[in-house]
Amino acid sequence: MTPKRKPVVGGNWKMHGTLGEAQDLASEVRNRLSSYGAVQTLVFPPFPFLGAVAQRLADSNIGLGAQDLHFEKKGAFTGAVSAEMLTSVGCAWVLVGHSERRHVFGDSDDVVAKKLRAALAAGLKPVLCVGEKLEERKAGDTFAVNRRQLRTALNGLAGDQLQHLVLAYEPVWAIGTGLVATPEQAQEVHADVRAAVAELLGGAFAGAVRIQYGGSVKAETAAGLMAKADVDGLLVGGASLKAEEFAAIVRARA
Ligand code: PEP
């Protein structure tokens, strides 16, 4: 791994837990990781728990993010949450284009692009997720799908607007399935994602941007993935709900 890219590991809590469980998990993550500075640690709780988790993480080095946002600033969008709402409860980060938003809720590439712009306009640091479905991989379209998602999201943006951008390669077939990509599969796509970013935003930007792998990561698979040259961290779903396992994943980097 290039030393100048500090690894970043995020825990996506998805739609799990109650307020009390989220508070306990946040405190436990903080206790286990607040003195560990080698990796940047982020957590993404469900919307209703963000303010309470922000309090538990106050003055720690653990970053707080939301799992999604709406692209509009305000209005008649029942059930939706704006970027400004997120910053007002203490969020600094937000997932954009997570595969469950794309494939369960139907967010198109264009909607993801709008969400990315809304996040940037509000000063949120985005984790832009891309990834191919199993049938796309089988058809030999892995690179093309990831490049299309990246291109649509990043089109027209400049590197100085994207200085806090983190990318996450999350193959849809690996998310929540127990089918983790091999380190070699992850590295192959990460290298192509970085090459695509270089074409869009230049080599210097591409060399600095961090690319996480996500998809069924567990403590025992984390080190092998993070050892790869272009894997700069992990985005962890199910395994981030147990503080002990999440801390082991964060600390797995050699
Ligand atoms: C995710 O939600 O981003 C994810 C990678 O989930 P899981 O680790 O459960 O596959």
Side-chain angles (χ1 to χ4, degrees), residues 151-162:
R151 203 171 45 243
T152 311
L154 299 176
N155 183 35
L157 295 172
D160 58 356
Q161 294 170 277
L162 295 166

Side-chain angles (χ1 to χ4, degrees), residues 12 14 95 98 100 129 170 174-178 213-218 235-240:
N12 174 15
K14 308 199 193 205
L95 300 181
H98 187 275
E100 286 147 21
C129 306
E170 297 206 298
I175 298 184
T177 60
Y213 166 79
S216 295
V217 174
K218 301 261 185 298
L235 185 54
V236 185
S240 71

